[in-house]
Amino acid sequence: MLGILIYNLFKAKEYIANNTFILAIFIKENLAIWLWAFCVIVVATSILYIEPNANAIIRNLSGLDLANTKTGWLLFGAGLCGLFRNVKKKKSTG
């Protein structure tokens, strides 16, 4: 969850710097991203709880160690938000 928060604060910095930040619009534009990332994190946590050996597969695919480090979860949450934002941006321009 912290990774999601940090990513979104980083993305909001330009609006905050320009005094164009409106919380209601920020929440409306990002709520789907937050919900999706949260659901993926819950599913990943559940998988690791049920099958701890799945961490080796996740580590091989993404390079993130989710079972033994907090940094892995931080990067995982931030990466999910970035991935979703890029997919959303491609759909709106394509």
Side-chain angles (χ1 to χ4, degrees):
M1 292 301 299
L2 186 57
I4 296 170
L5 178 63
I6 290 171
Y7 178 84
N8 284 286
L9 287 174
F10 179 75
K11 284 298 187 181
K13 74 180 181 329
E14 63 190 51
Y15 300 108
I16 294 169
N18 295 332
N19 291 327
T20 59
F21 182 78
I22 300 170
L23 183 60
I25 292 173
F26 184 73
I27 290 172
K28 182 180 177 186
E29 289 179 353
N30 293 293
L31 186 60
I33 295 170
W34 298 337
L35 291 175
W36 179 79
F38 178 75
C39 290
V40 171
I41 288 172
V42 168
V43 169
T45 303
S46 301
I47 289 169
L48 290 175
Y49 179 75
I50 294 167
E51 182 56 55
N53 294 328
N55 185 56
I57 297 168
I58 294 170
R59 188 174 47 237
N60 288 337
L61 291 174
S62 67
L64 299 174
D65 186 358
L66 299 181
N68 302 312
T69 65
K70 294 177 184 169
T71 307
W73 286 105
L74 181 76
L75 294 173
F76 188 56
L80 289 173
C81 286
L83 174 71
F84 191 89
R85 187 178 299 276
N86 287 339
V87 168
K88 191 175 174 183
K89 189 183 296 184
K90 285 181 183 178
K91 281 188 176 182
S92 66
T93 60

